[in-house]
Amino acid sequence: PVSRRPEHRRETARFWRENRAEAALRERCLVPAEEYERFAQALERALAEHQRREEERILQVTSVTSPPRHPPGLPWPRLTALSPQMAADIREAERRQRETVQAALQLQPEPEICAAPSICRPPAGPEWDSPCAAEQPGPSGRQTGPDLAWMESGKVLTFIGHQETEGKGNVHTGAKPPWLTEEEDGSKQQIGPSYEEFLKHKEKQKLKKLPVERVGANFDHTSQTSDSWLPSFGRVWNHGRRWQSR
Amino acid sequence: MSFLLPKLTCKREVDQAIKSVAEKVLVLRFGRDYDPACLQLDDILAKTAHDLSKMAVIYLVDVNNVPVYTQYFDISYIPSTVFFFNGQHMKVDYGSPDHTKFVGSFKTKQDFIDLIEVIYRGAMRGKLIVRSPIDPNNIPKYDLLYQGI
């Protein structure tokens, strides 16, 4: 730890130079040696504590199993202290077991479960004697049993069946998407406005440029009028609205 | 020269013209095709129609064919020319008794062009009545009778 102190100071100075921080703050950021020692010890303690807890949990899981039916050739595993790596492996294997079992239960209930342990074993790692718990999805699932029941209830997800494509392929295999395979469509439907609509649109744009207060701006040119319709004559015959005489 | 200008022959066609012409001055000449005064006016209208095509649309109407309009617009003298813009009647103060129509013919083509331009500008500004730019000496004189008074 002592050898680290000059290096720590150098690196801090370099960081301050590169990022042009306030020099006053730098002293406050230097970690003194005794602080570092305290930190290292606290770290070891915390790590040991965590390891202990993990081991307890694993021991709990393994303790509820029935007498194992371990495959021939493998010696009875010794439940010595497990490293964090082994614990992670166990967790991973258990998770995969659960998923496999769940998928299997969706299709066929019983025969698949026997195949499940053989699937789970390879991920366990060749150099590691797998505890028997990893091989027993069924009986060891006392804790995971209720979980399985919840997942297969169908209230959260509805299984609609495997999508068989009979060789056509799907998005994963890189087949042609359906919107590009429209060869059999006879009529050429055009997307978007037709040419006349486009021209009408251009006319409307020109109309917008005219002054808004022009005479008859709101006149409806396409209104259907009766035979007796007469245009507004500006109140010449005292007939019509007052504004028409302006 | 009335065969150069389009004609409207019935009330329905006149209605259609008034309603459909958009953003341009509509000029309706009420008269008779072979009346001498009408011939003179029609000549001026025909010769200027092309130059004014962006601002105005001109039609000829025989007063015998549309008695409804002849009465409605109170056409007592021919030719009488009535102006519309976007279906709205436009009045012009020529210095004469009647602002609702132009009675008689124009002295020059330029007079008519100026008049159309003034009407067009006024309409774009939202004015229903404009003042004529024509020299009052060039405006035909007539007496405005109302039911013989």
Side-chain angles (χ1 to χ4, degrees):
Chain A
V2 178
S3 66
R4 294 206 188 109
R5 287 212 56 222
E7 194 183 306
H8 173 60
R9 287 189 79 91
R10 269 207 302 280
E11 289 299 311
T12 319
R14 186 154 77 112
F15 181 81
W16 246 247
R17 269 201 308 278
E18 280 171 3
N19 295 292
R20 286 182 227 165
E22 274 187 44
L25 290 176
R26 190 183 63 183
E27 281 306 315
R28 289 191 1 203
C29 283
L30 287 177
V31 179
E34 52 277 9
E35 289 287 315
Y36 189 81
E37 278 300 319
R38 230 164 41 124
F39 166 69
Q41 281 165 19
L43 179 64
E44 280 176 34
R45 274 201 303 271
L47 188 61
E49 178 66 31
H50 177 73
Q51 274 179 330
R52 196 180 51 75
R53 259 182 278 145
E54 289 301 305
E55 285 170 29
E56 267 181 33
R57 202 178 69 80
I58 291 172
L59 286 174
Q60 238 182 1
V61 168
T62 60
S63 65
V64 300
T65 62
S66 55
R69 40 174 189 86
H70 57 88
L74 265 164
W76 178 252
R78 305 175 307 278
L79 285 179
T80 52
L82 298 170
S83 71
Q85 172 61 33
M86 293 186 212
D89 288 341
I90 298 176
R91 273 194 291 277
E92 175 66 13
E94 274 185 278
R95 186 187 64 79
R96 267 190 234 134
Q97 281 175 48
R98 261 206 304 274
E99 285 173 11
T100 316
V101 170
Q102 179 204 356
L105 283 174
Q106 300 282 6
L107 300 174
Q108 305 145 27
E110 286 311 312
E112 298 292 330
I113 296 186
C114 314
S118 57
I119 301 174
C120 295
R121 257 202 304 126
E127 74 281 4
W128 173 45
D129 296 337
S130 59
C132 48
E135 301 164 18
Q136 311 242 351
S140 74
R142 195 173 75 106
Q143 271 185 331
T144 59
D147 280 348
L148 282 178
W150 169 80
M151 278 195 274
E152 67 172 297
S153 70
K155 285 198 276 261
V156 180
L157 287 179
T158 309
F159 185 71
I160 62 172
H162 289 293
Q163 303 297 327
E164 301 292 334
T165 65
E166 291 113 22
K168 276 192 297 207
N170 58 12
V171 65
H172 302 290
T173 66
K176 201 165 185 192
W179 56 87
L180 291 182
T181 63
E182 287 294 337
E183 252 85 61
E184 69 278 356
D185 188 6
S187 64
K188 260 295 187 192
Q189 273 118 359
Q190 284 188 327
I191 312 171
S194 68
Y195 187 59
E196 296 94 25
E197 284 167 32
F198 174 64
L199 291 177
K200 277 199 208 115
H201 181 253
K202 284 199 11 184
E203 291 299 321
K204 280 204 205 101
Q205 295 301 103
K206 271 196 220 142
L207 235 74
K208 279 205 205 129
K209 291 199 191 139
L210 292 175
V212 185
E213 69 271 8
R214 71 183 185 279
V215 169
N218 52 356
F219 182 70
D220 181 13
H221 293 275
T222 56
S223 65
Q224 303 298 325
T225 56
S226 69
D227 274 345
S228 55
W229 175 81
L230 288 168
S232 128
F233 201 32
R235 294 198 86 239
V236 167
W237 304 120
N238 288 337
H239 164 82
R241 302 291 304 280
R242 183 121 196 258
W243 62 262
Q244 291 171 2
S245 71
R246 63 184 161 100
Chain B
M1 297 254 204
S2 55
F3 54 84
L4 291 176
L5 291 167
K7 290 197 179 59
L8 304 174
T9 53
C10 61
K11 177 186 184 290
R12 199 179 50 79
E13 284 181 21
V14 177
D15 288 353
Q16 194 56 36
I18 294 174
K19 284 190 295 181
S20 63
V21 171
E23 321 307 333
K24 282 190 196 172
V25 180
L26 174 65
V27 182
L28 294 180
R29 184 279 271 149
F30 286 87
R32 292 197 189 105
D33 279 349
Y34 295 106
D35 179 76
C38 293
L39 283 173
Q40 191 186 355
L41 175 62
D42 292 352
D43 179 51
I44 291 186
L45 296 179
K47 285 181 178 163
T48 58
H50 177 76
D51 294 332
L52 293 170
S53 55
K54 287 226 168 14
M55 277 198 294
V57 178
I58 304 174
Y59 287 105
L60 305 179
V61 186
D62 193 313
V63 291
N64 299 335
N65 293 341
V66 287
V68 183
Y69 278 121
T70 308
Q71 285 165 15
Y72 184 66
F73 292 140
D74 189 30
I75 302 192
S76 318
Y77 295 96
I78 55 169
S80 286
T81 312
V82 189
F83 302 99
F84 287 88
F85 191 87
N86 271 345
Q88 177 70 29
H89 171 78
M90 296 292 294
K91 293 198 196 120
V92 185
D93 179 7
Y94 313 96
S96 64
D98 193 347
H99 295 173
T100 63
K101 60 180 91 56
F102 183 82
V103 176
S105 175
F106 300 96
K107 185 154 177 220
T108 61
K109 289 189 291 182
Q110 192 57 43
D111 280 347
F112 177 61
I113 294 174
D114 291 342
L115 179 63
I116 291 295
E117 211 172 318
V118 164
I119 294 176
Y120 185 82
R121 291 231 178 94
M124 278 301 164
R125 293 219 194 92
K127 307 245 182 282
L128 286 183
I129 182 163
V130 295
R131 211 171 72 80
S132 153
I134 305 175
D135 186 357
N137 296 331
N138 295 341
I139 308 276
K141 296 276 181 290
Y142 57 93
D143 293 322
L144 188 64
L145 305 169
Y146 184 63
Q147 294 192 357
I149 300 173

